[in-house]
Amino acid sequence: MAITAIKGCNDILPEESGRWQYIEQAARRIFERNGFSEIRVPIMEKTELFCRSIGDTSDIVEKEMYTFIDKGENSVTLRPEGTAGVMRAYIEHKLYAQDPVAKLYYLGPMFRYERPQKGRYRQFHQIGAEVTGVNDPLVDAQVLNMLCAFFREIGLDEPTLQINSLGCPECRPAYRAALVEFLQGRLDRLCDDCKRRFTSNPLRTLDCKVAGCGEATQGAPAMLDHLCGECDDHFSSVKRYLDLTGNQYGINPRMVRGLDYYTRTTFELVTGLLGSQSAVAAGGRYDGLISQLGGPSIPGIGFAIGVERVALLLGERDFSTKPDLFIATMGADQRDMAFRLLTDLQSRGHWVELDYEGKSLKSQMRRAGKLGARYSVVLGENELQAGQASFKRMVDGVLIETPLAADEIALLLG
Ligand code: HAM
C-alpha cells in the first residue's frame, strides 16, 4: 500500500504554490517597507523553551506539542509557534547589544497536535513579525497598521481587527482574584476544561468556545475595568494612534489569547468565513518574555498570520503563472531552431514551452491551450526558410508576423 502523509499535514501542490508565493511576497514587501528583516530559526528547540514562554498550563504546552526524546536523551519539541524561538535567538546572539530595538520577521511551518478540520492543521504555516525594545504605544499601532496593510495588499478586507489589554503583573493579580470570585458560584456550569482552568488559568474561561461557558461567564468582570494607571494610559494611547492610522477596529474585552506571555495590548484579526477557526492572525505585547527567558528586561510585541487560513480566504482566485510562448514544430527539422529560441528567450527572462515528444501539431496546440500560453507559433520548413513566422496572440487569435530572432520575439512578448 502506498504511504500517505501524516493526518493534519498538507502537501502544497504546484497548483496551490502560486497562491502561497503571492501571500509570502506581499508580506515581505509590507514588512520590509516597515524596516523588518528576516530571521530564520530552527523548527526544533529544547522543550523547556516553550514551557517557559508559552506557559506550562496553556493548552499548547499541556496537550498540543510534538515533543520527543532524541538519541542523546534530550527532550526536543517541534515549534508550536515562532515567538519563543525568535526571542531565544535574540537573547543567545545578544542582538540587543548594539541596539535593543530589533524588527524581525519569519515564515515557516509550526506544529500543534490539534484535531484537524478546515483551517486547523497539525503542521501549519505562520508569517510572523516581532519588534523588541520599544515601550511606546505608537509601536503597537504601527505593528497593527502593518498587519492591516498586509491584508489590504492582498486584497482582503474581510478579517476585522479586535483589540484588548491584558494588563501587567501589577494589575492582573487583583483582576484574577475578582474573576475567580465571580466564577466561584458558577463552577458547575463550566465545561471540564474550564473547571481545570479555574485554578490554573481562570482568564481562559472567558474565551472558551463552549456555549455553556459563554453563558456562565456573562457579566464577568473585564480586565479593561481593572487596568492600573499605566496600562490604562497605554491602552488609550494605542487606540488614539490606531485612530490616526484610519484602520477600523473593535474592542473585545473577552479576548484572552492562548499563550501566557502576553501583557497589555493583545489583538486578533477575525473572520466569519472559516467556521470555528475565526482567527486569521493574532498577537500582542510580551513585555516580560525576554527577561523570563534569561535575557535583559526588554519589551516586545508581535503577531503571526496563519497562512493556510489566508489562502482559504483568498477563495477561487487563480494565482498560477502562464508561459509567454509555446513553440510548436511541424517536424523534427525545426526542433533545433525551436530549442535555440527557447534558451535565448529564457535568458531574456521569458517562459517558453515546447513539445518534448514530437507529437502531432494538433496535440501540441492542445497543450499550448492547456498551459494557457499567451502566444503560440508554429515552425515549419517555410518559416525557417523565410526567417519569420506568424505569432498568434492566444486571447484573440490575432497573428503577428515577426522575424525568428530572439530580440525581435522578446519585443513582441513584452
Ligand atoms: P496564535 O494565536 O497561537 O499566536 O497563532 C497565530 C495564528 O496562527 C492564528 O491566528 C491562526 O491563524 C494560525 N494558527 C494557529 N494554530 C493553527 C492551526 N492548528 N492550523 C492552522 N492555523 C493555525 C501565536 O502563535 C503567537 N506566536 C503570535 C505572536 C507573535 N504573538 C506575538 N508575536
Side-chain angles (χ1 to χ4, degrees):
M1 212 168 58
I3 298 168
T4 55
I6 294 172
K7 188 174 167 193
C9 300
N10 299 313
D11 299 307
I12 311 301
L13 299 176
E15 65 204 39
E16 269 296 296
S17 56
R19 180 185 301 259
W20 281 62
Q21 285 163 8
Y22 173 78
I23 296 169
E24 289 163 4
Q25 283 159 10
R28 287 182 192 279
R29 261 197 316 279
I30 297 290
F31 293 0
E32 282 166 17
R33 201 179 290 167
N34 279 272
F36 284 68
S37 315
E38 186 177 0
I39 182 165
R40 300 185 188 205
V41 293
I43 59 168
M44 263 188 330
E45 297 275 359
K46 293 178 182 164
T47 302
E48 188 196 350
L49 174 68
F50 301 114
C51 300
R52 255 214 258 171
S53 53
I54 301 171
D56 276 321
T57 61
S58 64
D59 281 358
I60 296 178
V61 171
E62 271 190 348
K63 300 192 279 200
E64 297 170 1
M65 293 208 303
Y66 278 91
T67 296
F68 59 96
I69 306 295
D70 71 9
K71 290 187 166 51
E73 300 291 307
N74 308 300
S75 178
V76 297
T77 294
L78 298 183
R79 62 182 183 191
E81 60 106 48
T83 313
V86 170
M87 290 307 127
R88 194 261 317 132
Y90 174 79
I91 298 164
E92 186 171 341
H93 302 285
K94 296 192 173 55
L95 297 189
Y96 52 80
Q98 282 171 343
D99 184 355
V101 180
K103 296 185 193 171
L104 307 167
Y105 77 87
Y106 52 91
L107 31 91
M110 310 289 159
F111 304 85
R112 295 184 193 176
Y113 191 82
E114 294 196 81
R115 204 160 36 80
Q117 61 181 74
K118 182 180 171 191
R120 188 169 70 196
Y121 310 103
R122 290 184 175 168
Q123 175 179 304
F124 61 99
H125 296 74
Q126 286 186 344
I127 302 176
E130 315 287 351
V131 183
T132 59
V134 192
N135 276 310
D136 191 333
L138 183 145
V139 87
D140 302 36
Q142 188 186 353
V143 163
L144 284 166
N145 184 54
M146 181 167 94
L147 184 55
C148 294
F150 162 77
F151 281 96
R152 274 196 301 276
E153 179 84 355
I154 59 169
L156 285 181
D157 52 12
E158 150 59 23
T160 50
L161 176 60
Q162 297 187 345
I163 62 170
N164 191 21
S165 174
L166 287 179
C168 68
E170 289 294 308
C171 50
R172 208 182 298 158
Y175 167 66
R176 187 185 149 119
L179 182 64
V180 165
E181 198 183 317
F182 171 89
L183 292 172
Q184 198 87 57
R186 295 167 168 79
L187 267 182
D188 52 337
R189 292 164 62 194
L190 299 179
C191 72
D192 287 348
D193 270 344
C194 281
K195 285 195 180 102
R196 212 168 22 83
R197 287 172 186 144
F198 172 74
T199 32
S200 61
N201 197 349
L203 273 70
R204 290 289 295 163
T205 58
L206 294 180
D207 67 357
C208 178
K209 300 281 188 298
V210 175
C213 295
E215 282 157 26
T217 55
Q218 276 296 322
M223 184 70 235
L224 286 181
D225 298 325
H226 289 75
L227 295 178
C228 61
E230 280 182 31
C231 286
D232 199 32
D233 288 348
H234 188 95
F235 193 55
S236 300
S237 301
V238 172
K239 287 185 287 183
R240 199 171 53 76
Y241 283 124
L242 206 45
D243 289 337
L244 293 179
T245 67
N247 293 296
Q248 302 291 311
Y249 62 92
I251 294 168
N252 178 0
R254 297 176 72 94
M255 182 204 304
V256 177
R257 311 278 302 116
L259 306 100
D260 287 357
Y261 50 61
Y262 291 116
T263 51
R264 295 191 169 169
T265 318
T266 52
F267 49 90
E268 285 183 353
L269 270 152
V270 294
T271 174
L273 300 175
L274 296 178
S276 58
Q277 304 314 309
S278 58
V280 183
R285 243 185 200 282
Y286 43 87
D287 293 343
L289 177 61
I290 295 171
S291 58
Q292 218 170 296
L293 291 176
S297 176
I298 293 175
I301 179 169
F303 62 75
I305 299 163
V307 183
E308 282 81 359
R309 295 185 189 177
V310 174
L312 282 168
L313 281 185
L314 285 173
E316 297 303 309
R317 275 166 61 184
D318 181 11
F319 292 93
S320 57
T321 45
K322 311 284 183 207
D324 297 314
L325 174 65
F326 187 94
I327 306 176
T329 48
M330 298 290 283
D333 293 349
Q334 293 89 40
R335 285 176 62 78
D336 286 4
M337 175 61 145
F339 185 55
R340 231 189 41 232
L341 284 176
L342 177 145
T343 54
D344 285 355
L345 285 165
Q346 274 175 347
S347 70
R348 286 166 174 77
H350 290 288
W351 174 10
V352 180
E353 287 285 338
L354 48 69
D355 155 57
Y356 295 116
E357 312 282 350
K359 294 212 186 78
S360 72
L361 188 59
K362 197 166 154 207
S363 88
Q364 291 184 58
M365 294 319 288
R366 215 178 307 125
R367 187 162 153 74
K370 201 166 142 200
L371 289 171
R374 286 197 299 123
Y375 285 86
S376 70
V377 66
V378 180
L379 300 185
E381 233 173 79
N382 293 345
E383 282 74 16
L384 257 61
Q385 242 163 37
Q388 59 178 23
S390 295
F391 285 71
K392 185 173 176 182
R393 199 163 60 200
M394 298 293 267
V395 272
D396 51 13
V398 168
L399 294 172
I400 303 156
E401 201 65 22
T402 307
L404 288 178
D407 282 342
E408 304 270 357
I409 303 171
L411 271 179
L412 170 74
L413 300 178

mmCIF file of all heavy atoms in Angstrom, residues 117-141:
data_model
loop_
_atom_site.group_PDB
_atom_site.id
_atom_site.type_symbol
_atom_site.label_atom_id
_atom_site.label_comp_id
_atom_site.label_asym_id
_atom_site.label_seq_id
_atom_site.Cartn_x
_atom_site.Cartn_y
_atom_site.Cartn_z
ATOM 1 N N GLN A 117 -9.269 20.070 11.144
ATOM 2 C CA GLN A 117 -10.519 20.409 10.447
ATOM 3 C C GLN A 117 -10.186 21.565 9.519
ATOM 4 O O GLN A 117 -9.036 22.010 9.488
ATOM 5 C CB GLN A 117 -11.625 20.786 11.443
ATOM 6 C CG GLN A 117 -11.316 21.998 12.294
ATOM 7 C CD GLN A 117 -12.428 22.304 13.266
ATOM 8 O OE1 GLN A 117 -12.595 21.601 14.256
ATOM 9 N NE2 GLN A 117 -13.195 23.345 13.018
ATOM 10 N N LYS A 118 -11.192 22.061 8.771
ATOM 11 C CA LYS A 118 -10.910 23.135 7.827
ATOM 12 C C LYS A 118 -10.263 24.323 8.558
ATOM 13 O O LYS A 118 -10.828 24.843 9.513
ATOM 14 C CB LYS A 118 -12.225 23.581 7.173
ATOM 15 C CG LYS A 118 -12.040 24.668 6.147
ATOM 16 C CD LYS A 118 -13.372 25.044 5.543
ATOM 17 C CE LYS A 118 -13.244 26.276 4.680
ATOM 18 N NZ LYS A 118 -14.524 26.808 4.283
ATOM 19 N N GLY A 119 -9.080 24.718 8.112
ATOM 20 C CA GLY A 119 -8.399 25.864 8.721
ATOM 21 C C GLY A 119 -7.600 25.519 9.965
ATOM 22 O O GLY A 119 -6.971 26.388 10.565
ATOM 23 N N ARG A 120 -7.651 24.230 10.384
ATOM 24 C CA ARG A 120 -6.860 23.841 11.568
ATOM 25 C C ARG A 120 -6.107 22.564 11.245
ATOM 26 O O ARG A 120 -6.723 21.537 10.930
ATOM 27 C CB ARG A 120 -7.769 23.637 12.767
ATOM 28 C CG ARG A 120 -6.968 23.424 14.063
ATOM 29 C CD ARG A 120 -7.847 23.491 15.268
ATOM 30 N NE ARG A 120 -8.723 22.325 15.343
ATOM 31 C CZ ARG A 120 -9.797 22.248 16.119
ATOM 32 N NH1 ARG A 120 -10.145 23.277 16.874
ATOM 33 N NH2 ARG A 120 -10.538 21.171 16.134
ATOM 34 N N TYR A 121 -4.797 22.634 11.331
ATOM 35 C CA TYR A 121 -3.965 21.512 10.905
ATOM 36 C C TYR A 121 -2.908 21.219 11.963
ATOM 37 O O TYR A 121 -2.720 21.990 12.905
ATOM 38 C CB TYR A 121 -3.307 21.853 9.549
ATOM 39 C CG TYR A 121 -4.339 22.347 8.555
ATOM 40 C CD1 TYR A 121 -4.465 23.694 8.258
ATOM 41 C CD2 TYR A 121 -5.256 21.456 7.985
ATOM 42 C CE1 TYR A 121 -5.455 24.157 7.398
ATOM 43 C CE2 TYR A 121 -6.246 21.894 7.126
ATOM 44 C CZ TYR A 121 -6.347 23.250 6.833
ATOM 45 O OH TYR A 121 -7.334 23.699 6.003
ATOM 46 N N ARG A 122 -2.200 20.092 11.767
ATOM 47 C CA ARG A 122 -1.145 19.742 12.736
ATOM 48 C C ARG A 122 0.187 20.332 12.309
ATOM 49 O O ARG A 122 0.982 20.741 13.142
ATOM 50 C CB ARG A 122 -1.083 18.222 12.889
ATOM 51 C CG ARG A 122 -2.336 17.752 13.623
ATOM 52 C CD ARG A 122 -2.341 16.285 13.923
ATOM 53 N NE ARG A 122 -3.516 15.968 14.727
ATOM 54 C CZ ARG A 122 -3.953 14.758 14.972
ATOM 55 N NH1 ARG A 122 -3.299 13.702 14.480
ATOM 56 N NH2 ARG A 122 -5.013 14.570 15.708
ATOM 57 N N GLN A 123 0.448 20.369 11.007
ATOM 58 C CA GLN A 123 1.530 21.225 10.517
ATOM 59 C C GLN A 123 0.834 22.374 9.803
ATOM 60 O O GLN A 123 0.036 22.156 8.890
ATOM 61 C CB GLN A 123 2.451 20.509 9.537
ATOM 62 C CG GLN A 123 3.491 21.496 8.971
ATOM 63 C CD GLN A 123 4.467 20.886 7.996
ATOM 64 O OE1 GLN A 123 5.146 19.935 8.313
ATOM 65 N NE2 GLN A 123 4.550 21.477 6.820
ATOM 66 N N PHE A 124 1.103 23.587 10.243
ATOM 67 C CA PHE A 124 0.539 24.757 9.578
ATOM 68 C C PHE A 124 1.654 25.786 9.458
ATOM 69 O O PHE A 124 2.753 25.579 9.979
ATOM 70 C CB PHE A 124 -0.666 25.304 10.366
ATOM 71 C CG PHE A 124 -0.319 25.745 11.760
ATOM 72 C CD1 PHE A 124 -0.104 27.090 12.045
ATOM 73 C CD2 PHE A 124 -0.197 24.822 12.790
ATOM 74 C CE1 PHE A 124 0.235 27.500 13.341
ATOM 75 C CE2 PHE A 124 0.136 25.225 14.079
ATOM 76 C CZ PHE A 124 0.352 26.561 14.351
ATOM 77 N N HIS A 125 1.362 26.876 8.754
ATOM 78 C CA HIS A 125 2.430 27.852 8.491
ATOM 79 C C HIS A 125 2.055 29.223 9.022
ATOM 80 O O HIS A 125 0.908 29.638 8.898
ATOM 81 C CB HIS A 125 2.713 27.927 6.984
ATOM 82 C CG HIS A 125 3.251 26.636 6.447
ATOM 83 N ND1 HIS A 125 2.452 25.521 6.254
ATOM 84 C CD2 HIS A 125 4.502 26.266 6.092
ATOM 85 C CE1 HIS A 125 3.197 24.525 5.804
ATOM 86 N NE2 HIS A 125 4.450 24.950 5.696
ATOM 87 N N GLN A 126 3.042 29.873 9.587
ATOM 88 C CA GLN A 126 2.825 31.234 10.067
ATOM 89 C C GLN A 126 3.791 32.187 9.373
ATOM 90 O O GLN A 126 4.921 31.812 9.047
ATOM 91 C CB GLN A 126 3.089 31.327 11.571
ATOM 92 C CG GLN A 126 2.006 30.701 12.442
ATOM 93 C CD GLN A 126 2.250 30.952 13.926
ATOM 94 O OE1 GLN A 126 3.349 31.325 14.343
ATOM 95 N NE2 GLN A 126 1.219 30.750 14.736
ATOM 96 N N ILE A 127 3.328 33.415 9.191
ATOM 97 C CA ILE A 127 4.224 34.520 8.857
ATOM 98 C C ILE A 127 4.138 35.444 10.060
ATOM 99 O O ILE A 127 3.048 35.920 10.404
ATOM 100 C CB ILE A 127 3.757 35.273 7.595
ATOM 101 C CG1 ILE A 127 3.669 34.311 6.401
ATOM 102 C CG2 ILE A 127 4.695 36.421 7.290
ATOM 103 C CD1 ILE A 127 3.127 34.959 5.135
ATOM 104 N N GLY A 128 5.255 35.640 10.729
ATOM 105 C CA GLY A 128 5.210 36.400 11.978
ATOM 106 C C GLY A 128 6.153 37.581 11.947
ATOM 107 O O GLY A 128 7.099 37.634 11.141
ATOM 108 N N ALA A 129 5.894 38.545 12.819
ATOM 109 C CA ALA A 129 6.764 39.718 12.934
ATOM 110 C C ALA A 129 6.872 40.097 14.404
ATOM 111 O O ALA A 129 5.877 39.975 15.146
ATOM 112 C CB ALA A 129 6.184 40.870 12.127
ATOM 113 N N GLU A 130 8.049 40.519 14.818
ATOM 114 C CA GLU A 130 8.267 40.870 16.218
ATOM 115 C C GLU A 130 9.091 42.154 16.286
ATOM 116 O O GLU A 130 10.029 42.335 15.506
ATOM 117 C CB GLU A 130 9.060 39.762 16.951
ATOM 118 C CG GLU A 130 8.615 38.322 16.687
ATOM 119 C CD GLU A 130 7.303 37.922 17.352
ATOM 120 O OE1 GLU A 130 6.777 38.691 18.188
ATOM 121 O OE2 GLU A 130 6.772 36.830 17.025
ATOM 122 N N VAL A 131 8.734 43.031 17.229
ATOM 123 C CA VAL A 131 9.544 44.229 17.496
ATOM 124 C C VAL A 131 9.966 44.171 18.954
ATOM 125 O O VAL A 131 9.127 43.966 19.830
ATOM 126 C CB VAL A 131 8.734 45.538 17.314
ATOM 127 C CG1 VAL A 131 9.642 46.750 17.522
ATOM 128 C CG2 VAL A 131 8.076 45.591 15.959
ATOM 129 N N THR A 132 11.256 44.354 19.203
ATOM 130 C CA THR A 132 11.717 44.385 20.594
ATOM 131 C C THR A 132 12.183 45.801 20.935
ATOM 132 O O THR A 132 12.499 46.598 20.044
ATOM 133 C CB THR A 132 12.926 43.459 20.807
ATOM 134 O OG1 THR A 132 13.974 43.895 19.931
ATOM 135 C CG2 THR A 132 12.587 42.010 20.509
ATOM 136 N N GLY A 133 12.224 46.081 22.235
ATOM 137 C CA GLY A 133 12.900 47.287 22.705
ATOM 138 C C GLY A 133 12.093 48.568 22.670
ATOM 139 O O GLY A 133 12.659 49.642 22.865
ATOM 140 N N VAL A 134 10.793 48.503 22.407
ATOM 141 C CA VAL A 134 10.007 49.744 22.383
ATOM 142 C C VAL A 134 8.790 49.622 23.299
ATOM 143 O O VAL A 134 7.940 48.759 23.107
ATOM 144 C CB VAL A 134 9.503 50.086 20.953
ATOM 145 C CG1 VAL A 134 8.951 51.510 20.923
ATOM 146 C CG2 VAL A 134 10.593 49.904 19.914
ATOM 147 N N ASN A 135 8.725 50.515 24.300
ATOM 148 C CA ASN A 135 7.547 50.566 25.167
ATOM 149 C C ASN A 135 6.459 51.442 24.584
ATOM 150 O O ASN A 135 5.279 51.259 24.884
ATOM 151 C CB ASN A 135 7.937 51.150 26.532
ATOM 152 C CG ASN A 135 8.496 50.083 27.455
ATOM 153 O OD1 ASN A 135 7.887 49.032 27.621
ATOM 154 N ND2 ASN A 135 9.664 50.340 28.021
ATOM 155 N N ASP A 136 6.860 52.412 23.788
ATOM 156 C CA ASP A 136 5.956 53.430 23.249
ATOM 157 C C ASP A 136 4.737 52.781 22.574
ATOM 158 O O ASP A 136 4.895 51.955 21.672
ATOM 159 C CB ASP A 136 6.743 54.266 22.230
ATOM 160 C CG ASP A 136 5.996 55.521 21.796
ATOM 161 O OD1 ASP A 136 4.748 55.510 21.848
ATOM 162 O OD2 ASP A 136 6.659 56.494 21.414
ATOM 163 N N PRO A 137 3.517 53.157 22.986
ATOM 164 C CA PRO A 137 2.310 52.582 22.365
ATOM 165 C C PRO A 137 2.207 52.872 20.870
ATOM 166 O O PRO A 137 1.435 52.210 20.163
ATOM 167 C CB PRO A 137 1.154 53.242 23.129
ATOM 168 C CG PRO A 137 1.746 54.366 23.899
ATOM 169 C CD PRO A 137 3.200 54.079 24.089
ATOM 170 N N LEU A 138 2.998 53.840 20.416
ATOM 171 C CA LEU A 138 2.995 54.125 18.977
ATOM 172 C C LEU A 138 3.394 52.878 18.185
ATOM 173 O O LEU A 138 2.866 52.602 17.114
ATOM 174 C CB LEU A 138 3.976 55.270 18.686
ATOM 175 C CG LEU A 138 4.077 55.778 17.251
ATOM 176 C CD1 LEU A 138 4.329 57.286 17.251
ATOM 177 C CD2 LEU A 138 5.177 55.080 16.471
ATOM 178 N N VAL A 139 4.325 52.087 18.756
ATOM 179 C CA VAL A 139 4.785 50.902 18.022
ATOM 180 C C VAL A 139 3.680 49.838 17.963
ATOM 181 O O VAL A 139 3.583 49.098 16.985
ATOM 182 C CB VAL A 139 6.120 50.350 18.577
ATOM 183 C CG1 VAL A 139 5.894 49.369 19.724
ATOM 184 C CG2 VAL A 139 6.924 49.676 17.490
ATOM 185 N N ASP A 140 2.826 49.794 18.982
ATOM 186 C CA ASP A 140 1.688 48.855 18.945
ATOM 187 C C ASP A 140 0.831 49.186 17.720
ATOM 188 O O ASP A 140 0.420 48.299 16.963
ATOM 189 C CB ASP A 140 0.810 48.969 20.199
ATOM 190 C CG ASP A 140 1.579 48.730 21.500
ATOM 191 O OD1 ASP A 140 2.757 49.133 21.576
ATOM 192 O OD2 ASP A 140 1.002 48.158 22.446
ATOM 193 N N ALA A 141 0.580 50.504 17.553
ATOM 194 C CA ALA A 141 -0.268 50.929 16.424
ATOM 195 C C ALA A 141 0.443 50.693 15.095
ATOM 196 O O ALA A 141 -0.188 50.330 14.102
ATOM 197 C CB ALA A 141 -0.635 52.403 16.577
#
